[in-house]
Amino acid sequence: MPVELRKRKAPPPPPEPPAKRATATKKAAAPKTAAAKVKDAVKETVTKVTEAATFTNGAAAASAEKPAVGDVITLDGFGGEIALQTGDSTTLAALAEKSKKGVVLFTYPKASTPGCTRQACMFRDEYTALATESGFDIYGLSTDSPKANTTFKEKQKLPYELLCDPGATLIGAIGLKKAPKGTTRGVFVVDKAGKVLAAQAGSPEGTVKVVREIVEGLNGEEKGESGEEKKGENGEEEKVVVEGGKKDEERAEEKKEEAAAAVVDEEKEEEVEKKEEDEKKAEEKKE
C-alpha cells in the first residue's frame, strides 16, 4: 500500500514591525543645537533681570511710601479707617482737623504689657506739657481690640484716647509695622498741614523724648518770632547756630541708639509675655 505524504502546515506570518515614530517626535527628542541653547540662556537671563528689576522697583516704591521727617503727606485717606477704644470709627485726617496744631501717635506692641504700660504712663505723666500746653493731641496706637484698649486706658488712668488698628493700616502707613504681623514701638508726629515732624522707632523713654524736643523746639521758634529771646549781637547769634548744629548731630546719634534699644526692649517684652502665657497655661492645667 503506497505511503501517503502529508503536507506541512505553512508557518504563521512574522509579526509586523513597529510603526516608525513621527518625524515631529524625533525632532522634539533631538538634542538642541548650540544656537538654540544660547537663545534659551539669553531668554532666561532676560527673565531673571526683569524679575529682579520688578522686585527692586517694588521695594523702592514701598519704602518711598513711608513718610520721613520733612515730608508733607496728604492726610485725606492716609492710613485708612481706625477706631477709638470706644469703637467709634475715625481717621488721621479727622484727628488732625480737630486738633490745634497736629497729632502725636505713639505706637506700642500690646496693651497692658510691661514696656507698653511704662510708655503709656510716661505720656500720661507729661500730658500737660506735651499736649494741653502745646496744641498737639496725643493718641496711643496699636493693633489691640477696643476692649483691650479700654481696659488699658481705665486701669492706667490715661488722659488721652487709644486707637485700635487691627489691620495695621495706619501703623503700616507710618512705617511702624513689624513683619509678619506686629507693631514696632515708635512715634509719629504730623502737623495740621500734613508736615511730618517725627517718624521713628524708639524705646518708651525715647518716644517721649522725641515729642518733648519737638514741642520745646516749636515753643522756641514762637518765642524767637515774638522777639522774647533774641540774642542781640551777631556774634552771639552765630554761636547759637553752631551749637544748634552740634546738637543736631548728637540727636541723630541718640536716635540711632534709641532705635536699637527699642528692638532690644521689644525682644525682652516678648520673652516676658511668652513666660507669662506659659505660666498661665501651666496654672490652668493644674486646675
Side-chain angles (χ1 to χ4, degrees):
M1 188 173 180
V3 179
E4 185 178 351
L5 298 175
R6 295 181 180 178
K7 292 182 178 180
R8 292 181 180 178
K9 292 182 180 179
E16 294 182 4
K20 293 182 178 181
R21 293 181 180 178
T23 308
T25 307
K26 282 186 178 180
K27 285 183 179 179
K32 292 182 179 180
T33 62
K37 288 181 179 179
V38 171
K39 187 177 180 180
D40 288 347
V42 171
K43 186 177 179 181
E44 185 179 354
T45 302
V46 171
T47 302
K48 287 181 178 179
V49 170
T50 303
E51 289 175 352
T54 302
F55 176 81
T56 303
N57 292 336
S63 62
E65 291 175 359
K66 296 178 182 179
V69 175
D71 291 348
V72 178
I73 61 175
T74 301
L75 293 171
D76 288 337
F78 185 87
E81 280 197 1
I82 47 179
L84 296 168
Q85 81 280 342
T86 57
D88 297 326
S89 296
T90 188
T91 62
L92 179 59
L95 298 178
E97 178 63 28
K98 74 174 188 175
S99 70
K100 185 178 178 181
K101 285 188 178 179
V103 173
V104 173
L105 302 176
F106 72 87
T107 57
Y108 54 94
K110 192 174 181 180
S112 298
T113 52
C116 299
T117 300
R118 189 166 79 253
Q119 182 184 24
C121 289
M122 289 179 73
F123 274 103
R124 176 198 66 193
D125 297 342
E126 295 194 43
Y127 182 75
T128 300
L130 300 182
T132 307
E133 295 177 358
S134 72
F136 282 93
D137 288 345
I138 293 177
Y139 297 91
L141 174 64
S142 72
T143 58
D144 290 299
S145 66
K147 183 179 179 180
N149 272 333
T150 296
T151 301
F152 190 30
K153 177 177 168 63
E154 291 176 352
K155 185 176 181 180
Q156 303 304 330
K157 297 180 174 56
L158 305 178
Y160 47 81
E161 305 290 336
L162 298 180
L163 302 174
C164 310
D165 186 16
T169 54
L170 180 54
I171 294 170
I174 62 178
L176 291 171
K177 183 177 179 180
K178 186 177 180 181
K181 59 177 183 177
T183 304
T184 298
R185 191 188 310 285
V187 63
F188 181 81
V189 184
V190 62
D191 67 13
K192 285 179 71 71
K195 184 178 180 180
V196 178
L197 306 179
Q200 66 182 74
S203 63
E205 294 78 8
T207 53
V208 175
K209 185 179 179 182
V210 167
V211 179
R212 189 189 304 126
E213 289 178 350
I214 289 173
V215 171
E216 290 174 354
L218 292 175
N219 289 340
E221 288 177 7
E222 289 176 357
K223 288 180 180 179
E225 289 174 1
S226 64
E228 291 178 17
E229 291 189 355
K230 285 188 176 181
K231 298 296 179 180
E233 296 296 329
N234 292 334
E236 291 181 4
E237 287 179 357
E238 289 173 3
K239 185 177 179 182
V240 172
V241 172
V242 171
E243 289 179 353
K246 289 181 180 178
K247 286 181 180 179
D248 288 342
E249 291 177 1
E250 291 173 0
R251 286 173 184 172
E253 288 299 321
E254 288 175 358
K255 286 179 181 179
K256 289 180 182 178
E257 293 174 0
E258 286 167 4
V263 174
V264 175
D265 183 72
E266 284 181 28
E267 290 175 352
K268 288 181 179 178
E269 192 167 328
E270 286 173 359
E271 290 177 4
V272 171
E273 289 173 12
K274 189 176 183 303
K275 186 178 179 181
E276 289 177 352
E277 288 178 3
D278 291 342
E279 290 175 353
K280 187 177 180 181
K281 288 178 182 178
E283 289 295 326
E284 289 174 353
K285 284 182 179 180
K286 288 179 181 180
E287 292 176 358

